[in-house]
Amino acid sequence: MDEGGGAYHFVNRNSGKCLDVPGASTQDGVRLQQYTCNGSAAQSFQVAEVPDTPGVRFHHMVTVSLGGTGTISHVINNTGGPSNSGSKVANLVNYP
């Protein structure tokens, strides 16, 4: 759901719970969870289109389909994915 300013929180339509970073951790490899929606920063995510700019690179990106409903077509721009009910997680090692 749009919070404005490019920030979103993601609500599972089946459980009604939000995507959450446990303890608002900034550690590498933290596992995301579904948690009761509470409006905290641990449930707020920035969403932006990635520019095709020389020198801009992304590494180890992931998308997750919560509850197996809907489809995320690509991890980033038109690369990687999909993440859907059949493949709940899609990884992209490097872009571009």
Side-chain angles (χ1 to χ4, degrees):
M1 304 190 82
D2 192 345
E3 297 174 4
Y8 290 82
H9 65 273
F10 300 97
V11 180
N12 181 309
R13 73 176 71 184
N14 293 317
S15 69
K17 294 184 177 184
C18 284
L19 181 64
D20 182 271
V21 179
S25 174
T26 59
Q27 297 296 310
D28 290 343
V30 66
R31 290 182 178 237
L32 302 181
Q33 64 184 2
Q34 291 185 59
Y35 194 80
T36 301
C37 298
N38 58 33
S40 71
Q43 296 178 351
S44 183
F45 298 87
Q46 288 294 125
V47 177
E49 185 174 338
V50 176
D52 285 322
T53 304
V56 174
R57 300 194 189 299
F58 291 85
H59 305 283
H60 307 291
M61 303 293 294
V62 64
T63 61
V64 180
S65 176
L66 298 176
T69 58
T71 296
I72 299 168
S73 298
H74 302 286
V75 175
I76 193 167
N77 291 356
N78 288 319
T79 307
S83 178
N84 56 36
S85 61
S87 59
K88 292 186 181 2
V89 177
N91 294 291
L92 179 64
V93 175
N94 293 304
Y95 177 86

